[in-house]
Amino acid sequence: MHYSIIKPICKKEVIEIDKGSLKTKRKFAFLLEIGDKILKNKEFWANEDVEVVEDYSFTNSKRPKEKIEIYTVENIERE
């Protein structure tokens, strides 16, 4: 590994989900892949933990809803 900074290039999206249904996993920044959905769009150190969206649900029930911003990784630059 000859880089220490990961710069994901992302597309921002606002989604509505059932409150409390968001499931994430932690992944080292150097393991990010194109198509991953992350909660923060910033530069990361290669060994920094990143929260990646694994799953969420949206139903037509009367459960409370919330809007969240997610970022879909479209490209990754490494320095």
Side-chain angles (χ1 to χ4, degrees), residues 8-77:
I9 304 204
C10 301
K11 180 178 129 189
K12 180 180 173 180
E13 194 178 345
V14 177
I15 60 172
E16 190 170 15
I17 65 172
D18 292 339
K19 196 169 199 108
S21 73
L22 184 68
K23 292 179 181 65
T24 61
K25 65 180 176 183
R26 298 185 84 67
K27 182 188 257 195
F28 287 119
F30 71 88
L31 294 174
L32 282 176
E33 299 174 353
I34 293 173
D36 280 345
K37 294 180 184 330
I38 58 179
L39 296 178
K40 291 183 182 172
N41 184 17
K42 64 173 198 150
E43 293 181 4
F44 300 99
W45 290 102
N47 62 346
E48 190 174 344
D49 278 344
V50 180
E51 274 195 283
V52 178
V53 175
E54 198 169 61
D55 192 25
Y56 61 87
S57 64
F58 176 80
T59 60
N60 290 328
S61 70
K62 294 184 180 188
R63 287 182 65 183
K65 307 291 187 231
E66 64 181 324
K67 289 188 179 188
I68 62 168
E69 293 178 355
I70 60 172
Y71 302 90
T72 303
V73 177
E74 294 184 331
N75 199 0
I76 300 171
E77 294 179 1

